[in-house]
Amino acid sequence: MSVTNHIRLEEEKKVPPKLNKYMHARNPYRTPPSFKKLASVYPEFRPYCSYDVGGKVHLDFKDPKALRALTTCLLHQDFDLKVTIPDDRLVPTLPLRLNYLLWIEDLLMHAAHCETSDVIVGVDIGTGASCVYPLLAARKLGWNLVATETDNINFTAATTNVNNNDLQDNIIVKKVDDKTVLQGVLDDADIQKQMYLKKKEVNDNNDDDDDDDDDDDDEVMSELNNTPSDTPCKHTDGDDNKSMKYMFDFTMCNPPFFSSEEETDSMKKRKKQRGEPISSPTGCIHEKVTTGGEVTFITQMVEESHKFKSKVRIRSTRDGQGNYRTSCN
């Protein structure tokens, strides 16, 4: 074998082909984590590891408990996040979650022309028990997130994960009903006030003029609460204050893909015909199924996004094929 071919093979080993093809350039998991290192540091990960004759560590990706241990240990090792995921809930795939956030970051910097010093406020629709997008966004990128959740168990777990990592100042976890997507969240008076004050605090720190007072804040909030969703607020709209132009910088979502439990079963059969999947699916039926499936869910999201187009800079979602859909102002 030539030296060139040997080097190429070694490079291919670093990242699994399916991941490498779609991995963001800044994603740290372009280089796969060392299972041997994880097993040496985290006793809770060790029971799910096996060793071959060469001493290489292997993980059974068909075991949901192994996936859960891998994810929680990586979150702690790489991001200093303490996360607990209930046994029957969705276990997020970290490389894919980071890809979405890094893609949003690119849009904010290059399409929306945000500055690194701007206060970034986003909304994660259906955050799940792990609350992984808000936790990663707050810890890695310094962003602020509103995380919505319809399920009681997920809501409790997400709130606990936020509190356990002392990120209450960056993340609001909001319990919503099953029909809520954006309306009832983006127009929530308490959320709007908290996000406005968070953005204003940094702008005031960067502004030499300290004449603003609480009366100005009250005036702005009064206008926000009485302004139609699709009408810009004059106090937050202006070329001299771009970071205050939009109340929310982005929305993101991993919607339930299926319309019924039967549809999930038929999908499993089709996948089996194409070959065994790499990892076992996780999550309760609530996290996989929604009335009308992802088409109905995303359609509602698009319709509601249009109503709030002047309040949200970037609207985005991920679909069942792993594609990302977005619209930007």
Side-chain angles (χ1 to χ4, degrees), residues 19 40 45 60 62 75 79 96-97 107-108 111 117 133 145 156 162 165 177 199 203 242 273 282 286 296 307 320 328:
L19 290 179
S40 67
F45 180 68
D60 182 6
K62 304 293 176 59
L75 283 167
F79 305 100
L96 298 181
R97 289 344 190 230
L107 287 174
L108 288 170
S117 59
Y133 283 127
L145 271 289
T156 300
V162 171
N165 289 283
D177 62 48
K199 288 197 169 197
N203 276 277
K242 292 180 180 179
Q273 292 170 355
T282 61
H286 169 83
T296 298
K307 295 178 183 179
C328 304

Side-chain angles (χ1 to χ4, degrees), residues 14 29 78 95 99 119 127 152 163 243 250 263 268 280 290 299 304:
K14 288 182 180 179
Y29 296 118
D78 298 334
N99 263 5
V119 175
T127 197
N152 286 324
N163 293 340
S243 68
F250 68 90
E263 190 178 350
K268 287 178 186 176
S280 173
T290 185
T299 298
E304 292 185 9

Side-chain angles (χ1 to χ4, degrees), residues 236-269:
T236 58
D237 190 15
D239 292 336
D240 60 333
N241 198 359
K242 292 180 180 179
S243 68
M244 295 290 286
K245 184 174 181 179
Y246 296 96
M247 182 61 64
F248 302 95
D249 295 290
F250 68 90
T251 61
M252 64 190 307
C253 182
N254 254 31
F257 300 141
F258 305 107
S259 60
S260 67
E261 195 166 354
E262 290 74 20
E263 190 178 350
T264 67
D265 292 336
S266 64
M267 178 61 73
K268 287 178 186 176
K269 292 177 182 177

Side-chain angles (χ1 to χ4, degrees), residues 46-74:
R46 217 169 290 153
Y48 305 106
C49 298
S50 60
Y51 301 81
D52 61 24
V53 292
K56 185 176 181 180
V57 179
H58 299 272
L59 190 69
D60 182 6
F61 285 91
K62 304 293 176 59
D63 183 353
K65 293 181 180 179
L67 295 179
R68 187 177 301 107
L70 172 63
T71 297
T72 54
C73 291
L74 285 175

